[in-house]
Amino acid sequence: MAKVLEVASFCACANLRKASRAVTQLYDESLQPTGLRATQFTLLVALSVTGSISITDLAQQLVIDRTTLTRNLTLLEHRGLVAIAKGDDQRTRLVTLTNQGREALMKALPLWEQAQTRIVSGLGRAHWNTLLSGLSDVVSLACEP
Amino acid sequence: MAKVLEVASFCACANLRKASRAVTQLYDESLQPTGLRATQFTLLVALSVTGSISITDLAQQLVIDRTTLTRNLTLLEHRGLVAIAKGDDQRTRLVTLTNQGREALMKALPLWEQAQTRIVSGLGRAHWNTLLSGLSDVVSLACEP
DNA sequence: AGAAAATAAGTGTATATACTCCTAATTATG
DNA sequence: CATAATTAGGAGTATATACACTTATTTTCT
């Protein structure tokens, strides 16, 4: 069936997931000396930028399910990289990067750069910027109600 | 730190994973009436194109870990959508789409098209093609030894 | 103020993902 | 030909992801 061939080649979901798998493995490998997975590194970076933030707010920013985020944060909390405390609104939990978390993040930065450079130089800066903006558009389109 | 802001905005891994999450939710929702997840649909499509194929070969094509693929295929096998049998080389397992699997695939195609159209029309055909080719380049770069 | 609606988060469950270690079968090598 | 090296696959474990359901708190409405 011609239609099936089209799906195999052009499915946005399949192609994004494939690229996601490939790139995650590259970044995981680069970050391995730090003991951080790429996803965990991303969380530390986000927290470093936002400062203290509630789980729901952080989840929205990252387009990640709230319950997924809770579980990922718990792993970082157990390693002392983030702290989770009650907010003024007793329902909320405020997540904060600890000093230890900040240290781990700083150590990881140059390793992240290795992986990132490989992708960006490989594509060329212009193509890379185009791709990045395409990804951003895709997120908007997929999240539209 | 300026560097951290750069990571947050430009990390290839974070942005790909974010887009991957967003799009997967869109496709999962579209495919929901079929009981297939987007990942499962993708496997059925791949098998429909390749015909009988060993687990390792299929894993390489999809840039997915062999053990992950085994587990994902087992779920489809239990639902009767794929068959897994020993190959001539007794070490290999040949995976084949069953008639039931082909039926499920056919029913899912129009639902896939809904989600796919949303992304492709949203981006515009030209941007979409650029994005697709960028994703393909990223996979090559990340998988390079 | 008290009841109802809304919001923030946690739990149970299921799938997706990949690594390490292990077994079985095949191929290569002496 | 017998043994070593290679290859295909499975099992155990851990993280990532999200849905449905539940609990606790806050806000809204009368």
Side-chain angles (χ1 to χ4, degrees):
Chain A
M1 269 269 285
K3 174 58 83 182
V4 175
L5 281 171
E6 182 200 328
V7 180
S9 307
F10 302 130
C11 176
C13 187
N15 282 281
L16 274 167
R17 289 186 74 90
K18 187 201 280 191
S20 182
R21 284 192 297 269
V23 166
T24 300
Q25 281 183 58
L26 174 66
Y27 282 66
D28 273 351
E29 196 186 342
S30 267
L31 292 172
Q32 217 216 317
T34 68
L36 290 171
R37 310 281 294 268
T39 45
Q40 300 173 333
F41 173 77
T42 301
L43 288 185
L44 297 186
V45 169
L47 287 170
S48 165
V49 171
T50 63
S52 285
I53 186 172
S54 79
I55 292 180
T56 298
D57 288 348
L58 184 55
Q60 276 177 355
Q61 281 193 28
L62 299 176
V63 191
I64 195 171
D65 189 84
R66 183 182 51 73
T67 65
T68 301
L69 182 57
T70 296
R71 277 158 172 144
N72 293 352
L73 286 172
T74 301
L75 291 175
L76 296 176
E77 189 190 21
H78 288 160
R79 286 169 56 183
L81 305 180
V82 309
I84 306 180
K86 282 196 177 171
D88 286 343
D89 182 334
Q90 294 288 299
R91 291 171 301 183
T92 65
R93 305 272 164 166
L94 289 185
V95 190
T96 313
L97 196 57
T98 62
N99 286 335
Q100 210 182 327
R102 206 172 303 276
E103 258 180 56
L105 175 52
M106 290 308 147
K107 279 189 192 154
L109 282 180
L111 297 176
W112 169 82
E113 189 122 43
Q114 279 175 21
Q116 179 79 1
T117 298
R118 171 147 173 189
I119 299 295
V120 177
S121 340
L123 282 177
R125 196 72 41 202
H127 282 172
W128 163 243
N129 285 332
T130 306
L131 179 58
L132 206 52
S133 119
L135 290 177
S136 161
D137 292 344
V138 164
V139 171
S140 304
L141 286 167
C143 292
E144 243 171 29
Chain B
M1 271 269 286
K3 173 60 81 181
V4 175
L5 281 170
E6 183 201 329
V7 180
S9 307
F10 301 130
C11 176
C13 187
N15 281 283
L16 275 166
R17 289 185 75 91
K18 188 200 280 192
S20 181
R21 284 192 297 268
V23 166
T24 299
Q25 281 184 58
L26 174 66
Y27 281 66
D28 274 350
E29 197 186 343
S30 266
L31 292 172
Q32 217 216 318
T34 68
L36 290 172
R37 310 282 294 270
T39 46
Q40 300 173 334
F41 173 77
T42 300
L43 288 185
L44 297 185
V45 170
L47 286 170
S48 165
V49 171
T50 63
S52 286
I53 186 172
S54 79
I55 292 180
T56 297
D57 288 348
L58 184 55
Q60 276 176 357
Q61 281 193 29
L62 299 176
V63 190
I64 195 173
D65 188 84
R66 181 181 52 75
T67 64
T68 301
L69 181 57
T70 296
R71 275 156 174 146
N72 294 352
L73 286 172
T74 301
L75 291 174
L76 296 176
E77 189 189 21
H78 288 158
R79 287 168 56 183
L81 305 181
V82 308
I84 305 180
K86 283 197 176 170
D88 286 344
D89 180 336
Q90 293 289 299
R91 292 171 300 182
T92 66
R93 306 271 164 165
L94 289 184
V95 189
T96 312
L97 197 58
T98 63
N99 286 334
Q100 210 182 326
R102 205 172 305 276
E103 258 181 56
L105 174 53
M106 291 307 147
K107 279 188 192 155
L109 281 180
L111 298 176
W112 169 83
E113 189 122 41
Q114 280 176 21
Q116 179 79 0
T117 298
R118 172 144 171 192
I119 299 296
V120 177
S121 335
L123 283 177
R125 193 108 353 225
H127 282 174
W128 163 244
N129 284 332
T130 305
L131 179 58
L132 206 51
S133 120
L135 290 177
S136 162
D137 292 343
V138 164
V139 171
S140 304
L141 285 166
C143 293
E144 244 172 30

